[in-house]
Amino acid sequence: MGASDFGNLLSVDGERYSLSSFQNARLLVLLFISNGCPTVKACQDRMIRIQKDYSGKNVQLLALNSNNSYLSPADTYAEMVLRVREKAFNFPYVKDEDRTVAKAYGAVCTPHVFLLDEERRLRYKGRMDDSRNPDRVTISDLRNAIEDLLSNRSVGVPETTPFGCSIVW
């Protein structure tokens, strides 16, 4: 499946991003996240570490907040800015205000991960790993998928069931 295009999403850094903004990245990881979800909070340090570990290999993470901020006040743009300052995200964090990107990719919860190859074909979707608790992780699904693609292999497990908090539509 080819990647659904998106454009003009406002990031907390004040820039606007589209799929083409990342044309030079070998792999692009779309992370649908939110600010209030305990599962996302438990994964944030792992997201930062993945970007740090793979940035030299031309892998780029992009976090998207698709929650309806009217129904979920923790997910306003202002709250997103505060989260980035607090956690020092090393990847862009954009607001999918009308939830079109989440709908196009079929994101259902936060976190929900979509890994795109250099031709922007979907190669992995699902969970980051197998536990919310970092001390209990035994399978790092996203890392495994990234490693497979960087080694020019097919992704061993191309889909897993994500878990976390439902997207607030």
Side-chain angles (χ1 to χ4, degrees):
M1 170 181 144
S4 293
D5 199 5
F6 58 86
N8 207 30
L9 299 179
L10 182 61
S11 175
V12 298
D13 63 10
E15 300 293 322
R16 291 194 174 269
Y17 291 92
S18 64
L19 186 63
S20 64
S21 302
F22 305 98
Q23 64 187 0
N24 294 327
R26 179 172 176 192
L27 303 178
L28 179 61
V29 179
L30 304 180
L31 297 162
F32 289 88
I33 67 171
S34 58
N35 288 341
C37 179
T39 305
V40 172
K41 288 179 180 180
C43 291
Q44 288 174 340
D45 290 338
R46 284 176 270 176
M47 295 176 209
I48 292 165
R49 201 162 38 252
I50 287 170
Q51 181 63 72
K52 182 180 176 194
D53 291 349
Y54 289 103
S55 63
K57 296 180 180 181
N58 210 9
V59 176
Q60 179 63 55
L61 273 65
L62 172 66
L64 301 99
N65 186 320
S66 300
N67 276 354
N68 181 330
S69 53
Y70 177 75
L71 298 174
S72 179
D75 292 303
T76 63
Y77 181 80
E79 291 295 324
M80 291 169 58
V81 170
L82 293 174
R83 178 58 49 87
V84 167
R85 286 185 189 149
E86 173 190 330
K87 294 302 295 181
F89 284 0
N90 54 356
F91 46 83
Y93 186 21
V94 300
K95 185 66 178 171
D96 177 21
E97 194 69 52
D98 59 5
R99 291 160 293 291
T100 55
V101 182
K103 290 173 188 169
Y105 282 88
V108 296
C109 66
T110 63
H112 199 166
V113 175
F114 296 80
L115 173 60
L116 308 175
D117 67 12
E118 52 202 329
E119 295 174 18
R120 296 306 176 250
R121 292 174 300 180
L122 179 63
R123 301 295 297 273
Y124 171 77
K125 67 178 179 176
R127 64 190 188 191
M128 280 189 56
D129 43 43
D130 65 344
S131 180
R132 180 170 119 179
N133 181 338
D135 297 328
R136 292 190 166 164
V137 171
T138 60
I139 302 171
S140 298
D141 301 284
L142 176 58
R143 281 183 179 273
N144 291 344
I146 290 170
E147 286 294 333
D148 284 344
L149 292 179
L150 290 176
S151 298
N152 297 313
R153 295 186 303 258
S154 294
V155 174
V157 179
E159 185 170 356
T160 58
T161 302
F163 58 90
C165 305
S166 293
I167 290 180
V168 180
W169 300 101

